[in-house]
Amino acid sequence: MHRRSFQPWWTLDNAAKIFPSTSSSHNSKVFRFVCELQEPVEPLILQAALDKTIERFPMYRSVMKRGWFWYYLEDSSLPAKVHPEDTPPCYPIYPSVRRSLLFRVLYYRRRINLEVHHSLSDGTGAMKFLCALVYEYLLARYPDEFTQSFPGLPYDASLWQKQMDSFQKYYEKPKRRQKDRVPTAYRLRSRRLPRNRIAVLEGRIPLDKVLACARERDVTLTELMTAIFMRAIYEGMRVRDRKKPVVITVPVNLRNYFPSESDRNFFATLNVGYDFSSQEDSLDAVLAQVRHSFRTSLTQERMRDHMNALCALEHNIPLRLVPLPIKDVVLRIANIVVSRKATASFSNVGRTAMPTGMEKFIRQFSVYICAGVLQACSCSFNGHYVVSFASPFRTHEVERIFFRELTQLGLDVVLTTNFSADGEVN
């Protein structure tokens, strides 16, 4: 295929700027999106599908480069190849010994795995890529099924819209306001797994039943799962640690507040806390606090203030002139400070949609991310809701309590994991 003779490049968006500096073997900043099919994957067809898909997403051909003051993405001629899964989940992509693309496509039995470094995209953008990849794969794998009606993808954006840095588009100089004092959060502590290893536990739940459970309590699905997650952490805490609040970081898709078709990062984070030492520990009490936090914080005005505060440092001229090696050190320290304000993270990617006629070939979608703390992610597809935990620890008490709580609410949960009964990761 003919390639362009010039090398276009892109600055990292505001959210992405911290990820190259803070990526490590213990915290790869890589997330995995999974599509599990009904039949085994055909590697040659998957490769052909990837060749077509990457033409829709030109930024996925880019590599990370170091500038004098910031990292940036540069277009490359490196081929995108599918591989059988031969590395642990969310294995580091950057930094690497040799220059590489910032994503990989792996397959294992019936699963198509897309792994992406967070500097390239957020969950919404990566899910679009995976859906486009699966779309092309199914068209080629089952051509006789789509001769009468040719399905289209549920979204259609121009290359300019896909590559837009929406942080820059919507940034306004922030107003000065007093910062709220944030107490140090309870931190999970346990023996860690070896480097580049995470323990994964997936729970598959009927979507209609879990939605009914949330509606009965007048909360959203994200609010319900956040509250149950908090209680699971609390139950596993030592008594002497219960004076510290449990704080869950929840990524917020800013596309829900500002029109954007960007496939890059465009998200903010919300810290939702609960102090069990001074409040009731019942699910209803925790839900009331979580619901209040969500509904007072998730407004366009609050999200705009949060986004502007994040972008302000990037627009500070003296800071922009600080050399990159110094920025690396400062960002690593800042990352450590910020991490002390949260116990764990929960991200709901939401509903995944595929064109009509393709659902029958797909069993489920799921997602999880590698980070230095316990992470829970969820998504729904075709009547099923999947919650996935990724943990750097050898013990899995929080996950066990979480799914026990769901079953006590009358929900049927089917579990899949990569670790054995003694905690060893396969």
Side-chain angles (χ1 to χ4, degrees):
M1 182 181 296
H2 175 69
R3 291 305 306 266
R4 294 165 295 192
S5 59
F6 64 94
Q7 296 289 311
W9 60 278
W10 301 270
T11 58
L12 292 182
D13 58 73
N14 178 268
K17 280 183 163 57
I18 194 172
F19 297 128
S21 302
T22 56
S23 298
S24 68
S25 57
H26 288 298
N27 191 348
S28 67
K29 307 296 184 184
V30 172
F31 51 81
R32 173 181 283 196
F33 280 80
V34 181
C35 177
E36 184 175 343
L37 305 174
Q38 298 290 2
E39 296 182 351
V41 175
E42 296 285 348
L44 293 180
I45 297 178
L46 182 60
Q47 180 63 60
L50 177 57
D51 293 340
K52 289 186 177 181
T53 302
I54 202 167
E55 294 302 318
R56 297 174 183 257
F57 298 83
M59 287 192 68
Y60 276 68
R61 288 193 296 247
S62 60
V63 296
M64 187 78 71
K65 299 294 289 289
R66 291 177 62 95
W68 287 101
F69 304 105
W70 292 109
Y71 294 91
Y72 63 96
L73 302 178
E74 184 179 80
D75 187 49
S76 78
S77 58
L78 294 175
K81 298 293 185 182
V82 304
H83 297 280
E85 185 172 3
D86 57 358
T87 54
C90 302
Y91 195 78
I93 292 178
Y94 179 88
S96 62
V97 176
R98 56 193 178 90
R99 186 170 299 171
S100 65
L101 298 178
L102 296 171
F103 79 101
R104 61 172 74 99
V105 175
L106 308 170
Y107 60 90
Y108 177 73
R109 296 181 180 175
R110 297 181 302 176
R111 290 193 165 205
I112 298 173
N113 304 318
L114 170 68
E115 295 191 337
V116 181
H117 191 265
H118 217 327
S119 60
L120 186 61
S121 178
D122 61 13
T124 300
M127 182 59 90
K128 287 182 181 179
F129 187 97
L130 178 60
C131 287
L133 176 64
V134 174
Y135 168 83
E136 294 291 353
Y137 175 85
L138 294 178
L139 283 182
R141 178 69 176 83
Y142 305 101
D144 295 340
E145 293 284 338
F146 306 106
T147 54
Q148 299 299 322
S149 60
F150 194 76
L153 284 168
Y155 56 89
D156 184 20
S158 67
L159 289 180
W160 179 80
Q161 289 174 311
K162 291 179 180 180
Q163 298 173 17
M164 177 186 294
D165 183 348
S166 294
F167 286 105
Q168 296 296 334
K169 178 179 179 180
Y170 291 107
Y171 170 74
E172 298 175 10
K173 188 175 180 179
K175 300 175 183 178
R176 289 190 178 183
R177 62 183 183 89
Q178 187 174 0
K179 293 184 179 180
D180 298 329
R181 183 180 178 274
V182 180
T184 301
Y186 168 69
R187 302 293 305 280
L188 292 163
R189 301 186 185 280
S190 179
R191 283 197 308 144
R192 288 183 174 264
L193 293 164
R195 290 185 177 185
N196 304 324
R197 294 276 179 170
I198 59 172
V200 178
L201 179 61
E202 289 182 358
R204 187 171 185 245
I205 312 162
L207 180 60
D208 57 347
K209 291 186 178 181
V210 72
L211 283 175
C213 188
R215 292 185 185 118
E216 287 174 8
R217 293 160 176 80
D218 190 29
V219 294
T220 66
L221 194 50
T222 302
E223 290 166 352
L224 176 63
M225 293 298 151
T226 301
I228 294 174
F229 195 7
M230 284 179 164
R231 291 195 75 254
I233 293 171
Y234 165 73
E235 285 199 29
M237 293 169 68
R238 298 177 301 185
V239 173
R240 63 177 178 272
D241 290 329
R242 291 180 176 178
K243 61 182 181 227
K244 293 182 179 180
V246 175
V247 181
I248 304 296
T249 297
V250 181
V252 179
N253 183 3
L254 290 176
R255 298 169 185 82
N256 295 330
Y257 302 89
F258 307 96
S260 173
E261 295 293 336
S262 176
D263 292 333
R264 306 176 71 178
N265 288 288
F266 193 43
F267 72 96
T269 56
L270 170 66
N271 279 353
V272 182
Y274 194 85
D275 187 353
F276 286 92
S277 66
S278 61
Q279 296 171 282
E280 293 182 32
D281 61 4
S282 67
L283 178 58
D284 287 340
V286 180
L287 267 176
Q289 178 65 42
V290 169
R291 179 174 53 207
H292 175 75
S293 297
F294 270 76
R295 300 185 187 185
T296 56
S297 300
L298 296 183
T299 65
Q300 187 178 49
E301 182 180 1
R302 288 288 188 95
M303 288 297 102
R304 187 186 299 279
D305 289 344
H306 187 61
M307 179 179 65
N308 289 338
L310 290 174
C311 295
L313 291 177
E314 181 184 349
H315 289 82
N316 183 296
I317 293 178
L319 290 178
R320 290 171 64 179
L321 298 177
V322 173
L324 183 57
I326 298 177
K327 281 194 178 84
D328 278 338
V329 175
V330 172
L331 288 174
R332 290 183 194 120
I333 295 173
N335 186 60
I336 294 172
V337 173
V338 170
S339 68
R340 292 174 180 168
K341 299 177 182 178
T343 306
S345 174
F346 175 73
S347 176
N348 184 9
V349 177
R351 178 177 174 269
T352 302
M354 288 295 291
T356 302
M358 291 189 166
E359 298 95 337
K360 63 182 179 181
F361 300 108
I362 302 170
R363 181 175 180 268
Q364 70 177 40
F365 283 90
S366 58
V367 57
Y368 44 91
I369 184 170
C370 175
V373 298
L374 180 62
Q375 298 270 345
C377 299
S378 68
C379 65
S380 61
F381 174 76
N382 199 24
H384 295 285
Y385 179 69
V386 179
V387 182
S388 304
F389 283 89
S391 173
F393 304 121
R394 292 181 179 273
T395 56
H396 313 290
E397 184 68 4
V398 172
E399 299 95 303
R400 184 189 66 81
I401 297 171
F402 178 90
F403 286 115
R404 185 197 67 193
E405 292 277 318
L406 292 183
T407 58
Q408 289 178 349
L409 292 176
L411 299 172
D412 298 322
V413 183
V414 178
L415 297 177
T416 305
T417 185
N418 72 335
F419 57 83
S420 58
D422 59 3
E424 291 301 318
V425 173
N426 299 321

